[in-house]
Amino acid sequence: MSYREIIWRLRLLAEAVIERLRVQLKQVPEAQFQADYNPDAEFKPPFKVFVGDIRQFNILWRAPLLYKADYIINHRLSFFDLQEHHLESPVNWHKDHAAGRQTSRKHIMAVNYRDTAVNGDCKLVWEPNRHHQFVVLARAYQVSGQLKYAQAVVKQLNSWLDANPYGYGMNWCNPLELGIRLINWVWAIDLIQDSGLFSGQFKRRILNSVFLHCRDVSAKFSQGSSANNHLVGEAAGVYIASSYFSVLKDAPAWRIKSKAVLETQIQAQTFADGCSREHGFGYQFFVFQLYLISSLAGQWRQDNFSAPYHNTLNKIAEFIARVAQGGENYPMLGDQDDGYALDLGDHVHNINAVCDTAYYLYDQQIFTTSGRQPSETAFWLFNQRIIRRHNESAEQIKVLTSHRFNESGYFLLQAGLAAEHNQVSILFDCAELGYTSIAAHGHADALSFVMRINGKDLLIDSGTYDYYSFPQWRSHFRKTKAHNTLEIDGLDQSVMTGPFMWEQHAQARCLLWEPSGCGGRVTGQHNGYQRLTSPALHQRSLDLNSQQKQLQITDKIHTQGRHDIAVYFHLSEYCNDIAINGHICTLTLAEEKISIYLPENLQLSLVTGKPGEDTHKASLGWISRGYHQKKPITTLVAKGCITGEQQFKTIINW
């Protein structure tokens, strides 16, 4: 941490001690209002989150929405590895419902949210407390007109207020959680506004809690090494809440402050090519949502964000769309924790919804190339606000072309037509480890790549799986061996010193970029192993020829010493009939027969995850496509020993 950050953290600690005294002495300020505010009058916010014609709601979306809402009324939620899990009656807001562990309800200074033995997994506790489910109920009320859904919002929100006095327990510990909760309160309350239920004592309680949320978060905006997606979520929550609940006396100051943070951070945390500087591909979707709904709230309130802000938002969406073109599943480079801002009917990683939403705002062909259909998300955001562009993409030829993300360090080697069933897409990682000095959400994956053939994953990034509950798995999924790259002496390219901290960062750079109509060639290198007693430099070239249906992988190790090496290839769950014959690995992927030819001087083995083994014992052979979700795959491992400079060539044919 920098000297400035240390000073900031000490100041926060001092302020936290003072705030604790206020809480204990019951001297916490209460909400004050604008001079013209009449508490007995009907609440009239400066904007509506939805102004559309509900009769235009797609009938295909109705049944899934009401099904989900009915389960929420009965306190059942689905998140992470829990499906329609009962959260008790009344809802137990202070529990890790996966582990069955209650959390501390002491003052937040006495709560260590990372101590899973005492408080469970904080993400499992916090997820229901983000209140995404209230927006589902409110949408169901709008669609069905049934008052029970609006009443459920009020009942469960009152339950939360009763169980969560300010300053106590896990749900007041993390400003990001408060920010996301504020966003969902705005959408839920506005969508049930015409029910007349947002009035009286309930309205007073909500306005006071919104005041406490905004006051707390705006005083703690993340700085230094912590100023990543957390700061974006904090500022978005305060901006949207202070814009909507403008009757609060402090709302104008909060709105100006938080908007300035968003304007600054969208530039600071985004490369010019649209990639997030955190290098966590899952977080691309999260921050896109946060930036998008903040800008829409500003537009609805006639407080528009700047042109550079919108240009960068456009580039974020474009990055997502380009990377998504080559496969049915989005690559999982870096950390992914399934976080999202609002539930408007589509999963946060739904590429169709991202592209459909972006195409309402930005006239770019890339947003029409993912089989774009009208999305429920876009309906709730834009119906009768923006005329939907004419969809000319249904029969559009989807040709893949290679693309360089020069600033962030990612390279797409790809070619082929979907109609001709000859598509291949490779995403090569020649990027830095992560954002700021701690690179909190980065993985040791330099010169790794993922490969997709006709949309199906062949070689995958194995994912993230966990942050807190299983430290061995947290460490494993970040390691070099968990990625399709080369490991030297059993060590990671970069040195991790904590679950969200790296001490030494491998520096990667591109040496050659030669795209072509059938793919092309890219070469990169990294210096992560220069720290060894006998320094080593890893250089990798990928040469794709889609016409020959071949990928050549050339690994060079520049060193003067002796080293053990291992090359890893993580085969997706869609691969079958995997076998080794000599130095060749064969398998099938859908209709394709794949052959991987490896150097004859390396020893090959296959490692497949074994369900039922000790859940705390990490191993190769697993993929995690969702938080606390994993399934077995097969990892191909090639090991050997080198002395001095050597080169290895691997060829993949299909």
Side-chain angles (χ1 to χ4, degrees), residues 222-233 265 269 278 287 291 435-436 438 440-441:
S222 296
Q223 294 186 26
S225 57
S226 299
N228 52 15
N229 69 83
H230 281 233
L231 177 55
V232 178
Q265 292 307 310
Q269 296 193 34
E278 289 198 89
V287 297
Y291 290 133
Y435 187 50
T436 74
I438 63 173
H441 292 299

Side-chain angles (χ1 to χ4, degrees), residues 588-610:
T588 59
L589 177 68
E591 300 174 1
E592 299 289 342
K593 293 188 181 298
I594 316 289
S595 296
I596 306 176
Y597 298 84
L598 292 114
E600 295 187 12
N601 58 338
L602 299 182
Q603 297 296 315
L604 307 189
S605 63
L606 298 172
V607 182
T608 302
K610 297 179 181 179

Side-chain angles (χ1 to χ4, degrees), residues 176-377:
L176 172 62
E177 302 306 312
L178 277 64
I180 297 174
R181 189 154 57 236
L182 282 170
I183 294 170
N184 284 277
W185 283 9
V186 168
W187 253 260
I189 288 169
D190 198 63
L191 287 173
I192 67 167
Q193 177 69 13
D194 64 6
S195 71
L197 296 176
F198 187 61
S199 60
Q201 179 64 11
F202 176 63
K203 181 175 72 171
R204 285 191 289 274
R205 297 188 78 190
I206 290 295
L207 289 175
N208 196 63
S209 192
V210 168
F211 161 77
L212 292 172
H213 276 68
C214 289
R215 172 179 173 272
D216 192 66
V217 178
S218 62
K220 298 177 180 177
F221 280 152
S222 296
Q223 294 186 26
S225 57
S226 299
N228 52 15
N229 69 83
H230 281 233
L231 177 55
V232 178
E234 294 160 10
V238 172
Y239 179 76
I240 291 169
S242 58
S243 296
Y244 183 80
F245 296 107
S246 59
V247 295
L248 293 170
K249 183 178 180 180
D250 296 307
W254 290 332
R255 182 165 53 85
I256 292 169
K257 181 179 180 179
S258 55
K259 184 182 181 184
V261 171
L262 290 167
E263 287 273 11
T264 299
Q265 292 307 310
I266 197 172
Q267 308 302 334
Q269 296 193 34
T270 311
F271 288 103
D273 57 29
C275 178
S276 166
R277 290 184 181 272
E278 289 198 89
H279 295 281
F281 276 32
Y283 285 99
Q284 290 273 155
F285 297 88
F286 181 46
V287 297
F288 174 73
Q289 273 197 330
L290 291 168
Y291 290 133
L292 172 67
I293 59 179
S294 296
S295 71
L296 291 177
Q299 178 184 334
W300 299 338
R301 203 193 184 285
Q302 298 183 334
D303 182 30
N304 291 322
F305 281 70
S306 68
Y309 182 101
H310 282 283
N311 290 339
T312 304
L313 185 58
N314 181 2
K315 296 299 291 186
I316 294 172
E318 182 184 345
F319 181 92
I320 293 172
R322 286 195 182 279
V323 171
Q325 275 188 298
E328 297 171 3
N329 295 298
Y330 202 76
M332 300 183 293
L333 278 67
D335 272 349
Q336 176 172 300
D337 73 350
D338 300 352
Y340 62 100
L342 280 172
D343 184 342
L344 296 179
D346 300 294
H347 190 279
V348 66
H349 296 159
N350 185 312
I351 300 300
N352 177 78
V354 171
C355 290
D356 182 34
T357 301
Y359 199 52
Y360 270 87
L361 302 172
Y362 310 113
D363 188 9
Q364 287 186 248
Q365 186 180 10
I366 187 64
F367 299 131
T368 71
T369 58
S370 295
R372 191 171 62 90
Q373 299 295 325
S375 67
E376 187 177 349
T377 297

Side-chain angles (χ1 to χ4, degrees), residues 44-64:
K44 294 182 178 180
F47 64 86
K48 302 289 293 178
V49 302
F50 175 69
V51 297
D53 183 353
I54 203 66
R55 293 172 298 180
Q56 296 178 11
F57 189 79
N58 191 323
I59 189 65
L60 296 177
W61 303 331
R62 180 185 173 92

Side-chain angles (χ1 to χ4, degrees), residues 481-540:
K481 66 174 59 178
H483 303 88
N484 302 311
T485 190
L486 183 145
E487 175 194 70
I488 297 180
D489 292 341
L491 300 173
D492 293 320
Q493 304 158 343
S494 298
V495 180
M496 66 177 80
T497 54
F500 296 93
M501 188 175 296
W502 297 86
E503 184 179 86
Q504 296 185 39
H505 299 196
Q507 303 294 324
R509 64 189 182 99
C510 178
L511 303 178
L512 175 71
W513 169 244
E514 293 180 345
S516 71
C518 55
R521 186 180 184 190
V522 62
T523 301
Q525 73 175 28
H526 77 82
N527 65 358
Y529 293 115
Q530 289 290 93
R531 72 182 192 273
L532 303 182
T533 303
S534 176
L537 191 70
H538 178 207
Q539 181 176 307
R540 168 171 278 185

